């Protein structure tokens, strides 16, 4: 089990950029594949991006491709999500999640979650 703490959310104008960070503690970081999910009001939690244990494989939601970049730093036990060209549809609470083994697009397959960080895209 790991403890996850997100940071970096906030208010950004349409077309702007934001970088989210997730600090991982409590267990060996390299045992876990990591994911960023988001949940907007009235919507299910959905995968934004995921990265596997050795950072050689990533997956993105169609809405995130070409705009978002997921990365991990094993030396700092952190994961990041760089977001560019943000639009109002990106407004949501963004969550960091971890699981042993391969990445998954299914939220229920991630046992460990952070508290979330709010991202609001508005002019």
């Amino acid at each position: 089990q790991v403890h996850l703490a997100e940071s970096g959310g906030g208010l950004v104008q349409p077309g702007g950029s934001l970088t989210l960070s997730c600090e991982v503690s409590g267990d060996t970081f390299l045992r876990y594949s990591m994911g960023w999910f988001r949940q907007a009001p009235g919507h299910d939690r959905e995968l934004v991006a995921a990265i596997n244990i050795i950072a050689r494989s990533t997956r993105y939601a169609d809405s995130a491709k070409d705009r978002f970049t997921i990365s991990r730093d094993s030396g700092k036990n952190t994961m990041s999500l760089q977001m560019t060209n943000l639009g109002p549809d990106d407004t949501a609470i963004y969550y960091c999640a971890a699981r042993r083994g391969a990445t998954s697009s299914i939220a229920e397959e991630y046992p460990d979650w952070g508290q979330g960080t709010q991202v609001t895209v508005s002019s």
Side-chain angles (χ1 to χ4, degrees), residues 53-88:
I53 292 171
I54 55 176
R56 292 181 181 174
S57 175
T58 58
R59 63 165 77 189
Y60 293 90
D62 288 343
S63 60
K65 288 178 182 176
D66 300 324
R67 296 191 302 130
F68 295 1
T69 302
I70 189 171
S71 61
R72 62 189 292 165
D73 186 333
S74 297
K76 296 181 179 179
N77 282 9
T78 59
M79 176 181 67
S80 297
L81 184 69
Q82 295 177 287
M83 304 185 293
T84 64
N85 194 22
L86 288 161

XYZ file of all heavy atoms in Angstrom, residues 53-88:
278
model
N 5.483 0.490 -14.531
C 6.481 0.503 -13.464
C 7.810 1.083 -13.921
O 8.427 1.892 -13.244
C 6.658 -0.924 -12.912
C 5.389 -1.348 -12.176
C 7.861 -0.995 -11.975
C 5.378 -2.807 -11.775
N 8.257 0.685 -15.089
C 9.573 1.137 -15.533
C 9.469 2.268 -16.534
O 10.434 2.599 -17.213
C 10.381 -0.027 -16.134
C 9.593 -0.717 -17.259
C 10.748 -1.012 -15.044
C 10.373 -1.807 -17.968
N 8.284 2.863 -16.612
C 8.069 4.064 -17.432
C 8.340 3.842 -18.904
O 8.645 4.792 -19.627
C 8.910 5.229 -16.904
N 8.227 2.613 -19.348
C 8.431 2.380 -20.774
C 7.128 2.250 -21.529
O 7.127 2.084 -22.751
C 9.285 1.129 -20.989
C 10.709 1.316 -20.529
C 11.541 0.073 -20.768
N 12.917 0.252 -20.293
C 13.808 -0.714 -20.279
N 13.504 -1.912 -20.718
N 15.030 -0.472 -19.828
N 6.036 2.287 -20.811
C 4.739 2.166 -21.452
C 3.780 3.163 -20.827
O 3.680 3.267 -19.604
C 4.190 0.748 -21.280
O 2.885 0.651 -21.800
N 3.112 3.900 -21.670
C 2.108 4.853 -21.201
C 0.826 4.648 -21.985
O 0.826 4.086 -23.083
C 2.577 6.303 -21.388
O 2.871 6.527 -22.775
C 3.815 6.603 -20.564
N -0.256 5.084 -21.399
C -1.530 5.066 -22.109
C -2.264 6.349 -21.795
O -2.139 6.884 -20.688
C -2.381 3.861 -21.752
C -2.825 3.761 -20.312
C -3.938 2.738 -20.177
N -3.441 1.373 -20.205
C -4.239 0.314 -20.276
N -5.553 0.481 -20.339
N -3.741 -0.898 -20.282
N -3.031 6.828 -22.761
C -3.756 8.082 -22.609
C -5.199 7.926 -23.074
O -5.474 7.188 -24.028
C -3.105 9.190 -23.451
C -1.738 9.606 -22.993
C -0.597 8.992 -23.480
C -1.593 10.631 -22.047
C 0.667 9.375 -23.052
C -0.335 11.022 -21.620
C 0.789 10.387 -22.131
O 2.034 10.776 -21.692
N -6.070 8.655 -22.428
C -7.418 8.798 -22.959
C -7.338 9.574 -24.263
O -6.427 10.396 -24.466
C -8.291 9.548 -21.952
N -8.272 9.345 -25.149
C -8.273 10.061 -26.426
C -8.284 11.572 -26.213
O -7.648 12.322 -26.956
C -9.484 9.646 -27.268
C -9.352 8.246 -27.826
O -8.223 7.716 -27.837
O -10.381 7.670 -28.237
N -8.976 12.006 -25.177
C -9.081 13.438 -24.903
C -7.761 14.037 -24.433
O -7.588 15.257 -24.461
C -10.162 13.696 -23.847
O -9.835 13.024 -22.637
N -6.842 13.182 -23.994
C -5.573 13.662 -23.451
C -4.413 13.558 -24.441
O -3.386 14.213 -24.260
C -5.227 12.893 -22.177
N -4.579 12.735 -25.438
C -3.497 12.534 -26.402
C -3.112 13.851 -27.054
O -3.970 14.648 -27.416
C -3.927 11.523 -27.462
C -4.015 10.097 -26.957
C -4.495 9.146 -28.042
C -4.622 7.735 -27.494
N -5.173 6.801 -28.516
N -1.828 14.040 -27.212
C -1.251 15.226 -27.853
C -1.366 16.492 -27.008
O -0.895 17.555 -27.433
C -1.892 15.488 -29.224
C -1.705 14.329 -30.183
O -0.635 13.689 -30.138
O -2.635 14.051 -30.961
N -2.005 16.395 -25.834
C -2.096 17.569 -24.971
C -1.470 17.327 -23.597
O -0.940 18.255 -22.982
C -3.562 17.976 -24.765
C -4.276 18.410 -26.010
C -5.626 19.037 -25.672
N -6.483 18.124 -24.916
C -7.101 18.461 -23.786
N -6.952 19.673 -23.275
N -7.883 17.582 -23.156
N -1.562 16.096 -23.105
C -1.081 15.768 -21.773
C 0.116 14.825 -21.865
O 0.190 13.986 -22.767
C -2.179 15.083 -20.949
C -3.380 15.938 -20.645
C -3.500 17.247 -21.089
C -4.426 15.399 -19.907
C -4.606 18.019 -20.804
C -5.544 16.158 -19.609
C -5.642 17.462 -20.060
N 1.015 14.936 -20.894
C 2.161 14.040 -20.823
C 2.318 13.549 -19.395
O 2.451 14.357 -18.464
C 3.450 14.744 -21.258
O 3.296 15.234 -22.603
C 4.622 13.769 -21.226
N 2.337 12.238 -19.242
C 2.549 11.639 -17.926
C 4.002 11.212 -17.807
O 4.612 10.756 -18.785
C 1.599 10.437 -17.705
C 1.660 9.956 -16.263
C 1.894 9.306 -18.679
C 0.596 8.914 -15.927
N 4.552 11.366 -16.622
C 5.931 10.954 -16.399
C 6.100 10.571 -14.932
O 5.255 10.903 -14.095
C 6.907 12.077 -16.762
O 6.682 13.220 -15.958
N 7.193 9.889 -14.642
C 7.493 9.522 -13.266
C 8.979 9.660 -13.021
O 9.784 9.446 -13.923
C 7.003 8.123 -12.933
C 7.636 7.008 -13.731
C 6.918 5.672 -13.490
N 7.113 5.185 -12.137
C 6.378 4.223 -11.584
N 5.379 3.674 -12.275
N 6.618 3.817 -10.359
N 9.320 10.024 -11.799
C 10.709 10.190 -11.392
C 10.952 9.261 -10.211
O 10.536 9.558 -9.085
C 10.964 11.654 -11.018
C 12.430 11.928 -10.715
O 13.152 11.003 -10.295
O 12.841 13.091 -10.887
N 11.629 8.149 -10.471
C 11.836 7.164 -9.418
C 12.778 7.680 -8.335
O 12.700 7.248 -7.195
C 12.366 5.873 -10.023
O 11.426 5.312 -10.906
N 13.657 8.585 -8.694
C 14.570 9.142 -7.706
C 13.865 10.024 -6.697
O 14.279 10.132 -5.545
N 12.765 10.663 -7.113
C 12.026 11.564 -6.236
C 10.707 10.951 -5.768
O 9.964 11.585 -5.022
C 11.743 12.880 -6.962
C 12.999 13.666 -7.321
C 12.638 14.965 -8.022
C 13.890 15.761 -8.365
N 13.573 17.020 -9.075
N 10.396 9.748 -6.230
C 9.116 9.099 -5.889
C 7.926 9.994 -6.241
O 6.993 10.163 -5.435
C 9.068 8.727 -4.410
C 9.862 7.473 -4.117
O 10.576 6.964 -4.975
N 9.752 6.980 -2.892
N 7.965 10.536 -7.419
C 6.878 11.404 -7.853
C 6.406 11.042 -9.254
O 7.135 10.440 -10.041
C 7.305 12.887 -7.855
O 8.423 13.048 -8.730
C 7.660 13.360 -6.463
N 5.182 11.411 -9.521
C 4.607 11.259 -10.839
C 4.017 12.608 -11.215
O 3.531 13.339 -10.348
C 3.518 10.191 -10.848
C 2.811 10.057 -12.181
S 1.511 8.827 -12.185
C 0.303 9.543 -11.094
N 4.061 12.932 -12.497
C 3.560 14.231 -12.931
C 2.632 14.080 -14.125
O 2.685 13.082 -14.847
C 4.726 15.145 -13.320
O 5.555 15.415 -12.221
N 1.803 15.078 -14.308
C 0.950 15.165 -15.485
C 1.039 16.587 -16.002
O 0.548 17.519 -15.373
C -0.497 14.824 -15.152
C -1.448 14.798 -16.354
C -1.124 13.612 -17.273
C -2.913 14.721 -15.900
N 1.698 16.743 -17.124
C 1.783 18.040 -17.771
C 0.593 18.179 -18.711
O 0.394 17.337 -19.583
C 3.091 18.164 -18.548
C 4.331 18.156 -17.679
C 5.604 18.212 -18.511
O 5.986 17.240 -19.149
N 6.246 19.354 -18.508
N -0.162 19.243 -18.511
C -1.376 19.457 -19.293
C -1.253 20.764 -20.060
O -0.930 21.806 -19.469
C -2.597 19.488 -18.373
C -2.732 18.237 -17.509
S -4.258 18.220 -16.536
C -3.951 19.573 -15.415
N -1.520 20.705 -21.339
C -1.467 21.904 -22.176
C -2.775 22.076 -22.927
O -3.589 21.143 -23.015
C -0.312 21.829 -23.184
O -0.545 20.742 -24.077
C 1.020 21.634 -22.479
N -2.970 23.275 -23.463
C -4.154 23.586 -24.248
C -5.432 23.140 -23.530
O -6.292 22.478 -24.108
C -4.077 22.935 -25.628
C -5.094 23.488 -26.600
O -5.593 24.601 -26.425
N -5.435 22.704 -27.595
N -5.537 23.504 -22.292
C -6.672 23.097 -21.471
C -7.952 23.782 -21.911
O -7.936 24.946 -22.359
C -6.390 23.401 -20.006
C -5.353 22.475 -19.353
C -4.799 23.105 -18.082
C -5.980 21.127 -19.058
N -9.042 23.062 -21.792
C -10.355 23.595 -22.127
C -11.339 23.356 -21.000
O -11.043 22.606 -20.058
N -12.508 23.974 -21.070
C -13.498 23.812 -19.989
C -13.845 22.350 -19.708
O -14.147 22.007 -18.554
C -14.705 24.578 -20.535
C -14.114 25.615 -21.439
C -12.933 24.946 -22.079
